[in-house]
């Protein structure tokens, strides 16, 4: 999707990366640097604090925030290249499927790189009073069980703050 987005801007990928880095700097992200548009390169760098600031900045956009809050979605390709234009996807944050949580997940983003482990950032709201929180879990080496610790920590936050 990132390459598709970049291709629609009529600039080269390297120019798009330059724009990403300029935007990061404009947002005050001094320790964040992008080397590719997909997020796959281990040369992309940031800190936990700046990752949170970046996420908060991106989710100011209502459309992006809504998309990151969907548990599942369907879409039809604009250009069908394989004879299967209709698709359905489910959010990779397994916590979004749990309806018994004492909080509501408002939006979240997951990621995984072999060099960096599993990541999760999410904004959630405590059901009893509507107070909102963010959780950011970085570098979990266990991708199969990557939601257990964030779930435990989120429950701890709900009970203690």
């Amino acid at each position: 999707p990132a390459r598709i987005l970049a291709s629609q801007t009529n600039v080269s990928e390297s120019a798009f990366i330059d724009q990403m880095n300029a935007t990061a700097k404009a947002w005050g992200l001094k320790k964040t640097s992008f080397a590719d548009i997909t997020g796959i390169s281990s040369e992309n760098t940031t800190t936990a604090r700046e990752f949170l600031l970046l996420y908060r900045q991106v989710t100011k956009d209502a459309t992006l925030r809504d998309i990151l809050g969907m548990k599942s979605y369907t879409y039809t390709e604009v250009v069908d290249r394989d004879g299967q234009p209709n698709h359905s996807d489910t959010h990779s944050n397994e916590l979004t499927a749990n309806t018994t949580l004492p909080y509501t997940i408002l939006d979240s983003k997951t990621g995984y790189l072999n060099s960096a482990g599993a990541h999760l950032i999410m904004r959630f709201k405590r059901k009893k009073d509507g107070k909102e929180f963010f959780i950011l879990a970085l570098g979990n080496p266990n991708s199969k069980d990557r939601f257990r610790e964030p779930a435990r920590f989120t429950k701890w936050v709900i009970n203690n703050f």
Side-chain angles (χ1 to χ4, degrees):
R3 283 208 166 93
I4 293 168
L5 175 64
S7 72
Q8 298 306 305
T9 63
N10 296 320
V11 299
S12 67
E13 277 194 25
S14 62
F16 193 85
I17 294 165
D18 290 344
Q19 290 176 354
M20 291 169 57
N21 284 311
T23 299
K25 297 306 175 222
W27 289 346
L29 307 177
K30 297 175 183 174
K31 297 180 179 179
T32 298
S33 176
F34 299 103
D36 79 323
I37 62 172
T38 65
I40 294 173
S41 173
S42 60
E43 294 178 26
N44 294 316
T45 59
T46 193
T47 64
R49 178 171 174 66
E50 289 195 4
F51 189 83
L52 173 62
L53 293 173
L54 173 67
Y55 186 81
R56 291 184 75 176
Q57 190 71 29
V58 167
T59 56
K60 285 180 181 179
D61 181 285
T63 301
L64 292 174
R65 187 176 57 247
D66 289 348
I67 290 168
L68 293 170
M70 292 179 178
K71 292 180 183 178
S72 62
Y73 56 93
T74 58
Y75 61 95
T76 301
E77 296 173 335
V78 174
V79 177
D80 176 28
R81 295 189 175 148
D82 62 1
Q84 298 178 336
N86 300 314
H87 301 273
S88 294
D89 286 312
T90 301
H91 201 301
S92 56
N93 178 353
E94 293 174 5
L95 299 175
T96 63
N98 186 339
T99 58
T100 65
L101 299 172
Y103 54 88
T104 302
I105 298 171
L106 302 172
D107 47 71
S108 68
K109 177 70 179 91
T110 63
Y112 181 82
L113 293 174
N114 287 335
S115 61
H119 308 306
L120 169 66
I121 187 166
M122 69 181 185
R123 183 173 60 102
F124 58 98
K125 177 173 62 174
R126 184 169 36 213
K127 287 181 178 177
K128 72 178 184 181
D129 64 3
K131 186 172 182 177
E132 290 186 16
F133 303 90
F134 283 89
I135 185 170
L136 174 60
L138 300 173
N140 186 337
N142 184 351
S143 72
K144 289 184 181 182
D145 200 23
R146 64 183 170 164
F147 301 106
R148 182 175 45 191
E149 289 305 314
R152 284 183 44 198
F153 186 62
T154 302
K155 286 182 183 178
W156 180 84
V157 168
I158 289 291
N159 292 325
N160 290 285
F161 290 95

